[in-house]
């Protein structure tokens, strides 16, 4: 410590910033020392700018952690979406959803379309906007959600698990319809949807139109009850067109697939 105490104020300041893990401030310090020395900044201005940079970096780290903890498989934004490739997407409706007013009103959104048309991308983009706005968001694959609820039911902790999913301000259920859901799973989905009904917002992406949900859930009554609660106060986005993932394949190869 004696050696450090005898060092210059500049070195002590750098050491302190490094120990406090204020990395942005530590990296910027040489430039700001020069600017203060040259009269380009006074001390208060330099300190304000250095701390603003550190605060911005910390906020970005917190945001990245919140995105990771929300369960998104990847990060996509609306600016990443190729609107020209999918002209069937009602851009104004999607951008309205991104304002999150539907979340404030505890309304839902349903994205319907074939695989690869951008349903998950748009759902994630809206979810990212919600995270940035400080809302609690949970993204989950439908099949994994059902299996998780079944596991909780078998272990006698279903109430707690339903509360976990019901708590999120925005729940995104991805890929409903890719795998059929049995009677027990349909009942669990109904319980979750009922718990969130008019209390929290849910986004669902599906490759099956609402009229085909009876086949997904294996029961007309369960499908109707779930659809009734999801579609009441709901923005429906239907997307047509071919898969973005196959856009670079020649036409004859797409027909073979």
């Amino acid at each position: 410590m004696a050696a450090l105490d005898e060092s210059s104020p500049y070195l002590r300041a750098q050491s302190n910033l490094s120990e406090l893990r204020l990395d942005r401030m530590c990296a910027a310090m040489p430039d700001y020392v020069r600017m203060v020395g040259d009269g380009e900044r006074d001390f208060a201005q330099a300190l304000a700018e250095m701390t603003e940079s550190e605060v911005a970096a910390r906020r970005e780290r917190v945001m990245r952690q919140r995105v990771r903890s929300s369960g998104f498989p990847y990060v996509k934004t609306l600016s990443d979406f190729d609107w020209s490739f999918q002209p069937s997407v009602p851009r104004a409706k999607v951008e309205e959803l991104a304002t999150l007013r539907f979340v404030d009103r505890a309304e839902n959104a349903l994205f319907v379309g074939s695989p690869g048309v951008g349903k998950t991308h748009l759902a994630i983009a809206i979810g990212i906007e919600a995270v940035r706005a400080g809302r609690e968001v949970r993204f989950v694959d439908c099949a994994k959600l059902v299996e998780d609820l079944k596991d909780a039911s078998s272990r006698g902790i279903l109430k707690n698990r339903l509360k976990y999913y019901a708590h999120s301000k925005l729940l995104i259920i991805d890929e409903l319809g890719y795998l059929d859901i049995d009677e027990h799973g349909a009942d669990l989905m109904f319980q979750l949807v009922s718990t969130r009904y008019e209390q929290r917002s849910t986004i669902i992406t599906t490759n099956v139109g609402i009229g085909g949900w009876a086949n997904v859930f294996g029961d007309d009554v369960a499908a109707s009850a779930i659809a009734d609660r999801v579609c009441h106060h709901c923005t429906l986005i239907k997307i047509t067109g071919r898969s973005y993932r196959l856009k670079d394949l020649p036409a004859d190869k797409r027909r073979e697939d």
Side-chain angles (χ1 to χ4, degrees), residues 37-58:
D38 292 344
E40 297 176 22
R41 301 283 196 283
D42 62 31
F43 176 76
Q45 287 175 318
L47 186 60
E49 291 180 16
M50 290 172 69
T51 52
E52 284 166 2
S53 176
E54 193 65 51
V55 167
R58 182 165 296 182

Side-chain angles (χ1 to χ4, degrees), residues 66-67 69-72 100 103-104 126-139 163-172 196 200-202:
R66 291 188 61 205
V67 167
S69 65
S70 295
F72 295 109
L100 305 179
V103 175
D104 295 333
I126 294 167
I128 295 295
E129 289 298 318
V131 171
R132 288 174 174 167
R135 313 301 208 281
E136 184 173 343
V137 180
R138 175 64 49 193
F139 180 100
K163 186 180 295 185
Y164 167 79
Y165 286 112
H167 178 71
S168 298
K169 193 72 173 175
L170 175 61
L171 176 65
I172 302 174
R196 296 183 61 81
R200 296 285 192 273
S201 293
T202 304

Side-chain angles (χ1 to χ4, degrees), residues 181-201:
I181 300 172
D182 62 18
E183 183 179 352
H184 186 203
D187 176 64
L188 294 171
M189 282 289 290
F190 173 74
Q191 290 185 57
L192 176 59
V193 168
S194 295
T195 301
R196 296 183 61 81
Y197 178 59
E198 294 190 325
Q199 301 299 317
R200 296 285 192 273
S201 293

Side-chain angles (χ1 to χ4, degrees), residues 134-150:
R135 313 301 208 281
E136 184 173 343
V137 180
R138 175 64 49 193
F139 180 100
V140 62
D141 176 83
C142 185
K144 291 180 180 179
L145 170 62
V146 172
E147 287 304 310
D148 189 29
L149 293 177
K150 283 184 177 180

